[in-house]
Amino acid sequence: MPVITCIEDLKRLHKKRTPKMFYDYAESGSYTEQTFRENTSDFAQIRINQRVAVDMTGRSTGTKMLGQDVSLPVALAPVGLTGMQRADGEIKAARAAAKFGVPYTLSTMSICSIEDVADNTDAPFWFQIYTLTDDDYNTRVLQRARAAGCSALVITVDLQLLGQRHKDLKNGLTAPPKFTVPVMLDLATKWRWGLEMLGTKRRFFGNIVGHVDSAADPSSLASWTAEKFDQSLNWDRIRRLMDMWGGKVILKGILHPEDAERAAAAGADAIVVSNHGGRQLDGALSSIRVLPSIVDAVGDKTEVWLDSGIRSGQDILKAMALGAKGTMIGRAYVNGLGAMGEAGVTKALEVLQKELDTSMALCGEKSVQNLHRGNVLVPKGFLDTYT
Ligand code: FNR
C-alpha cells in the first residue's frame, strides 16, 4: 500500500483504479477549464502569516456549521454519480463523514437513493436538490428527504442547465457505462472497481429511476439534464421550495454580493460561495477571490461558507481567514473514495485536518474559530483586479 501524505496522492490512486469515464467526470471543468484551474491557482497566490513563540497547546479544529458541532470546518459537498467512483460510494462517503464528525450531503444525482443512504448510516445527512420541471417530483423528493431524517436541504442555485464538459461528451459518460470497445478495454485494467460493482445492485440514478415519469434515458446525464432540469428556477421558486421544506436551508452556488443579499433576505441559514468547482460558468472568478466581498455584504446575516478549489488544510485556513465560517469539499473526498473507498474518504479528512491543525499552530492560532484576516497575506489587487 503506497504511503498517502496528501490529497494529490489520493488523486493519483483514484485515476489508477477508476474507469476513465468517471475519473474524467470528476477531474474536469467546463469549456476551457479556466475557472476550474484558477480555483486552485488563486488559493496558491494567498500566503500565510507565520507567528512564533505562541503557546500552541490545546488546539482545536472543531467549530459549528448550521449550529451542528463539526470536528473540522468541512462538509462533504453533493457530488453526482459518487456511486460510480466506487460501488455504493454515497453510503461509504456518508459513513466516513459521520465517523469523522462532519456533515455529508447527498446529491439528487446520486446512485444510492436517499432511502439507501438512510438505511445504511446512523447519522442524519443533508440532501441537495436540483429542481426538475416536474413539480410533483420536487414535492415527493422533499417528502422522501424529510422521511429519511435529512437535517438540512441544500438548494443548488447555479445549475438550471449544464456547463459543457468536453471529456464527458467524448467519453460518452453514462451511468452505468455502456459496454463499448474502449470502455471494455479500460475496464480490463480496473478489475477491483468491476468486482465491487458486480456485487451491488446500485448502478442507476437511485433518486431518479422509478421516481420520474419520462421517456428520456436518465443514464445519459447531459441530455437528461437538458430536458428535465427546471430552467425557470428564480427567487420566488426558491422561496417556495424553502417554505415547502420548512427546515434548515443552505443555498449553494452564490458568486455575487447582490445574489448573496437576496439569499440572506430569503432566509437562507447558510450560503455557499461556489462556482460549482469550475463546472458551470467558465470565466467566472474563483470562489476564494469573491469570498471577502460576499462576507462584507452578508456575513452578519447568514453563515457564509466556501467551496471550489480546496485541496489542503492550508486552503481551508485561507478561506476561514478571509471570513468563511465553513467549507465544502468535492474532489478532495472523491479522490479518496476512488482511491480506497470508505477508508480513502477518512484518509482525505485526516490529511486535511492534520494540515489545517499544523498550519494553524504555526500561525500562532489555537482554534479555527479565531482565524482572521491577519493570518493571511493577499497580493495587492488580488481582490479588486476586475471591475
Ligand atoms: C459536483 N458538484 C455538484 N453540486 C451539486 O450541487 N450537485 C451535484 O450533483 C454535483 N455534482 C458534482 C459532481 C462532481 C464530479 C463534482 C466534482 C462536483 C459540485 C460540488 O458540490 C462542489 O461545489 C464542488 O465539487 C466544489 O469544488 P471542488 O472541491 O471539487 O474543487
Side-chain angles (χ1 to χ4, degrees):
M1 174 56 73
V3 178
I4 304 290
T5 58
C6 56
I7 298 296
E8 190 63 30
D9 287 343
L10 292 170
K11 183 170 138 183
R12 265 192 294 273
L13 268 187
H14 178 196
K15 184 171 187 183
K16 196 166 151 203
R17 295 182 171 172
T18 309
K20 178 175 175 1
M21 171 188 297
F22 300 117
Y23 175 79
D24 282 353
Y25 168 65
E27 202 49 39
S28 301
S30 56
Y31 302 102
T32 70
E33 301 193 329
Q34 177 185 30
T35 299
F36 173 51
R37 283 189 303 276
E38 288 182 1
N39 277 337
T40 45
S41 63
D42 276 357
F43 264 117
Q45 286 197 53
I46 298 169
R47 310 303 285 266
I48 303 178
N49 231 345
Q50 174 174 304
R51 300 303 301 269
V52 297
V54 178
D55 173 3
M56 54 172 77
T57 56
R59 296 184 308 282
S60 168
T61 59
T63 180
K64 284 185 192 289
M65 291 172 76
L66 278 192
Q68 183 179 335
D69 285 325
V70 290
S71 60
L72 189 64
V74 165
L76 304 201
V79 168
L81 279 82
T82 298
M84 281 290 133
Q85 302 294 350
R86 271 284 170 125
D88 304 332
E90 289 89 1
I91 293 171
K92 288 172 181 159
R95 283 185 181 157
K99 284 186 202 143
F100 205 85
V102 297
Y104 173 74
T105 318
L106 183 72
S107 162
T108 295
M109 301 310 290
S110 56
I111 300 297
C112 301
S113 67
I114 301 171
E115 293 78 9
D116 275 340
V117 178
D119 289 347
N120 289 285
T121 53
D122 299 325
F125 54 96
W126 299 344
F127 178 66
Q128 175 264 327
I129 188 166
Y130 280 134
T131 53
L132 306 189
T133 46
D134 177 351
D135 258 333
D136 287 345
Y137 173 85
N138 300 332
T139 309
R140 282 197 312 272
V141 85
L142 290 186
Q143 282 164 356
R144 289 171 52 203
R146 214 173 295 118
C150 292
S151 53
L153 180 70
V154 176
I155 306 177
T156 299
V157 293
D158 62 0
L159 199 150
Q160 286 117 304
L161 86 181
L162 206 61
Q164 178 171 306
R165 293 180 299 267
H166 300 325
K167 284 184 214 154
D168 291 352
L169 298 180
K170 291 186 168 121
N171 290 331
L173 175 73
T174 56
K178 297 205 162 68
F179 291 108
T180 59
V181 173
V183 168
M184 298 286 277
L185 288 173
D186 181 35
L187 286 183
T189 64
K190 310 287 164 44
W191 54 270
R192 188 196 310 255
W193 181 93
L195 276 182
E196 283 187 15
M197 227 19 112
L198 284 175
T200 181
K201 55 187 187 316
R202 303 182 186 102
R203 293 195 289 263
F204 302 89
F205 288 107
N207 293 323
I208 303 290
V209 175
H211 297 280
V212 180
D213 299 327
S214 170
D217 173 10
S219 68
S220 165
L221 191 63
S223 58
W224 193 84
T225 310
E227 183 178 323
K228 287 291 179 183
F229 275 31
D230 175 20
Q231 297 199 3
S232 73
L233 185 74
N234 61 8
W235 289 106
D236 282 343
R237 281 182 66 78
I238 290 169
R239 272 191 293 270
R240 223 172 312 142
L241 214 59
M242 292 171 74
D243 287 344
M244 272 164 65
W245 174 250
K248 298 219 164 159
V249 170
I250 301 144
L251 294 184
K252 170 173 167 293
I254 307 267
L255 278 187
H256 197 290
E258 284 172 20
D259 289 335
E261 296 271 12
R262 290 186 155 203
D269 298 282
I271 62 169
V272 190
V273 177
S274 166
N275 55 35
H276 214 105
R279 297 164 78 81
Q280 283 296 95
L281 180 61
D282 188 35
L285 289 178
S286 66
S287 299
I288 192 66
R289 209 181 265 262
V290 298
L291 173 72
S293 61
I294 292 184
V295 170
D296 286 349
V298 299
D300 55 345
K301 297 179 196 139
T302 187
E303 267 177 56
V304 180
W305 305 342
L306 170 138
D307 81 17
S308 302
I310 290 180
R311 302 288 183 272
S312 68
Q314 292 88 320
D315 294 340
I316 299 171
L317 186 155
K318 291 170 185 178
M320 302 287 283
L322 288 177
K325 294 283 180 249
T327 65
M328 281 187 148
I329 54 167
R331 296 180 183 87
Y333 86 83
V334 171
N335 289 156
L337 180 73
M340 291 155 52
E342 181 180 333
V345 178
T346 304
K347 189 71 194 176
L349 290 166
E350 285 170 358
V351 163
L352 295 175
Q353 185 175 42
K354 184 91 196 307
E355 289 169 343
L356 174 60
D357 178 55
T358 304
S359 308
M360 190 174 81
L362 295 172
C363 281
E365 300 291 346
K366 289 192 196 184
S367 164
V368 283
Q369 300 183 45
N370 293 343
L371 292 171
H372 56 90
R373 186 69 176 73
N375 296 128
V376 287
L377 299 161
V378 178
K380 277 203 174 60
F382 182 77
L383 299 174
D384 56 8
T385 313
Y386 300 93
T387 53

